[in-house]
Amino acid sequence: MTDDGKKQLSHQKKMEKLKDSVDASIASADIERGVSILLTGNGKGKSSSAFGMVMRALGYDYKVGVVQFIKGEQLSGEELYVRDHCPAVRFYQMGTGFTWDTQDRSGDIAAAQRTWAVALELLVDPSYHLVVLDELTYMLSFKYLDQETVLAALRDRPENQSVVVTGRGGGSELVSWADTVSEVKEIKHAYNAGIKARLGVDF
Amino acid sequence: MTDDGKKQLSHQKKMEKLKDSVDASIASADIERGVSILLTGNGKGKSSSAFGMVMRALGYDYKVGVVQFIKGEQLSGEELYVRDHCPAVRFYQMGTGFTWDTQDRSGDIAAAQRTWAVALELLVDPSYHLVVLDELTYMLSFKYLDQETVLAALRDRPENQSVVVTGRGGGSELVSWADTVSEVKEIKHAYNAGIKARLGVDF
């Protein structure tokens, strides 16, 4: 047998084994319902991942709602895109500016609660296939929202609705609630090398 | 002073300090150029994050190219969305199926090289603001593409072009090339609790 032939044979054997294991785990995952996803950690990519899932859901013409719990006053590309191109997406932004800019605790709490009221409308409406609660975790860690109230609403949502929660932290209760938890770890960030945040990539 | 008054004062002081530190680091990041981003790790959210950045760039009407290096034959929501709603996006998919399905090493290498040729067209074209090379890392770890050739093209791209590379692994050379590296760690996955991958969320 030639060297290439041997390589192909060994490759084929490895791939057959991998295929068996992939096929077996696909076959064993047979519960069909909406999933709950927590994207946490200090690295770049949590909110953008949530918006990628928005695009994914829109690819199948599913109904989507997005609620952003904390944001600067600066426009973001995803906000512009959704507002201009996706009129069917319910989009709501707290829009009080970052908490370190406002420096007003009771104003922040009122804004968080107004925003939560919108989230709650989505979380009881089975017509929404996907609900994104972007940066919700901060509202819990700042104690602007009551954790038990939030978790109860997340747990009681319609069976076929998927929910994505993003933000650093989140705590053990949110981790045990979620079916899927990814921690986005910052290995390095352009920012620390003096590179300015990039329009159309970073925001 | 009332308890609420004290809480507000302490909150305000903390937030003033945080604002100073945020403002200072924003001011020190003053290099304006395209950024290179590596999204790696074994967790869910790498490709969706890249597609979120596509949405972000499209929000500003920037030109975007997406090349996917490995994918099952099953359609994905992001593919459907981009094909149906974003005719301006250059979209190319290797489309040979997962390597554990094909079990054909030389066929896979030829497909990887055809796909790389498309990526290269984008990487020399300054009109592209954002180029996504989805799941490129596997092509390097399987040695379907030559790492030095790939890295040279990534380094020599137009100054204002941002590039996002996704996929597990990636190796130290890719990590040192990238301005920003996020490792998406799987803390848990719905799949392992027997929950089926969800249309419009997982694919």
Side-chain angles (χ1 to χ4, degrees):
Chain A
M1 194 184 277
T2 63
D3 267 8
D4 268 4
K6 277 185 204 154
K7 260 193 193 162
Q8 166 58 22
L9 196 68
S10 126
H11 175 78
Q12 194 175 332
K13 279 197 177 147
K14 250 191 281 180
M15 291 301 129
E16 273 169 9
K17 234 173 132 175
L18 184 55
K19 180 173 162 56
D20 287 348
S21 113
V22 169
D23 288 351
S25 57
I26 288 174
S28 73
D30 57 0
I31 305 166
E32 287 208 53
R33 62 164 173 81
V35 289
S36 50
I37 298 171
L38 172 64
L39 302 171
T40 185
N42 64 347
K44 176 186 168 51
K46 299 181 291 293
S47 295
S48 54
S49 180
F51 278 93
M53 288 183 244
V54 168
M55 185 185 276
R56 209 165 260 172
L58 293 175
Y60 299 104
D61 289 319
Y62 284 132
K63 202 166 159 188
V64 175
V66 178
V67 178
Q68 296 191 298
F69 278 88
I70 195 170
K71 272 296 153 188
E73 278 144 23
Q74 188 172 42
L75 271 176
S76 67
E78 61 271 35
E79 180 185 351
L80 284 171
Y81 187 83
V82 170
R83 290 199 191 278
D84 291 352
H85 300 279
C86 314
V89 172
R90 175 86 185 268
F91 185 87
Y92 185 88
Q93 202 177 59
M94 195 161 70
T96 44
F98 285 108
T99 187
W100 49 83
D101 283 327
T102 63
Q103 298 169 11
D104 167 12
R105 190 174 153 83
S106 63
D108 282 353
I109 291 176
Q113 282 166 350
R114 277 195 306 275
T115 311
W116 173 246
V118 178
L120 205 50
E121 282 175 40
L122 306 177
L123 290 171
V124 298
D125 183 343
S127 71
Y128 284 94
H129 183 79
L130 176 65
V131 173
V132 172
L133 304 176
D134 194 25
E135 314 210 18
L136 172 66
T137 59
Y138 303 101
M139 302 301 100
L140 301 178
S141 47
F142 295 163
K143 301 197 190 307
Y144 289 178
L145 296 176
D146 174 60
Q147 174 165 288
E148 270 323 296
T149 310
V150 168
L151 278 163
L154 291 173
R155 284 195 198 101
D156 294 346
R157 72 186 199 280
E159 201 193 333
N160 287 316
Q161 185 180 87
S162 294
V163 175
V164 182
V165 170
T166 78
R168 295 188 189 198
S172 58
E173 300 258 348
L174 217 48
V175 169
S176 40
W177 158 73
D179 300 312
T180 294
V181 179
S182 290
E183 182 197 351
V184 183
K185 280 184 67 175
E186 178 179 306
I187 306 298
K188 60 180 180 173
H189 200 295
Y191 203 70
N192 298 322
I195 301 163
K196 222 173 157 172
R198 189 85 180 145
L199 194 72
V201 178
D202 289 308
F203 61 93
Chain B
M1 193 182 279
T2 62
D3 266 11
D4 267 6
K6 276 184 203 154
K7 259 193 193 161
Q8 166 59 20
L9 195 71
S10 127
H11 176 77
Q12 193 174 333
K13 279 197 178 145
K14 251 192 278 179
M15 290 301 130
E16 274 169 9
K17 233 172 133 177
L18 184 55
K19 180 173 162 55
D20 288 347
S21 114
V22 170
D23 288 352
S25 59
I26 289 173
S28 74
D30 58 359
I31 305 167
E32 287 209 50
R33 62 163 174 81
V35 290
S36 50
I37 298 170
L38 173 63
L39 301 172
T40 185
N42 64 346
K44 176 186 169 49
K46 301 180 292 293
S47 295
S48 54
S49 180
F51 278 93
M53 288 183 242
V54 168
M55 186 186 275
R56 208 164 261 173
L58 293 175
Y60 300 103
D61 289 320
Y62 284 132
K63 202 166 158 187
V64 175
V66 177
V67 179
Q68 296 191 298
F69 277 87
I70 195 170
K71 273 294 152 188
E73 277 143 25
Q74 187 172 41
L75 271 176
S76 67
E78 61 271 35
E79 180 184 352
L80 284 171
Y81 188 83
V82 169
R83 289 198 192 280
D84 291 352
H85 299 279
C86 314
V89 171
R90 175 85 184 268
F91 185 87
Y92 186 89
Q93 202 177 59
M94 196 160 70
T96 43
F98 285 109
T99 187
W100 50 84
D101 282 328
T102 64
Q103 298 170 10
D104 167 13
R105 189 175 154 83
S106 62
D108 283 352
I109 292 175
Q113 281 166 351
R114 277 196 304 275
T115 310
W116 173 247
V118 178
L120 205 50
E121 283 175 40
L122 305 178
L123 291 171
V124 298
D125 183 344
S127 72
Y128 284 94
H129 183 80
L130 176 66
V131 173
V132 172
L133 303 176
D134 194 26
E135 315 211 15
L136 172 66
T137 59
Y138 303 100
M139 304 298 102
L140 302 177
S141 47
F142 295 163
K143 299 196 190 310
Y144 289 178
L145 296 176
D146 175 60
Q147 174 164 288
E148 269 324 297
T149 310
V150 168
L151 278 163
L154 291 174
R155 284 195 198 101
D156 295 346
R157 73 186 198 280
E159 201 192 333
N160 287 316
Q161 185 179 89
S162 295
V163 176
V164 182
V165 171
T166 79
R168 296 187 187 198
S172 58
E173 301 258 348
L174 217 48
V175 170
S176 41
W177 158 75
D179 300 312
T180 295
V181 179
S182 290
E183 183 196 351
V184 183
K185 279 184 67 174
E186 178 178 306
I187 305 297
K188 60 178 178 173
H189 200 295
Y191 203 69
N192 298 322
I195 300 164
K196 221 173 157 171
R198 188 87 180 141
L199 194 74
V201 179
D202 289 310
F203 62 94

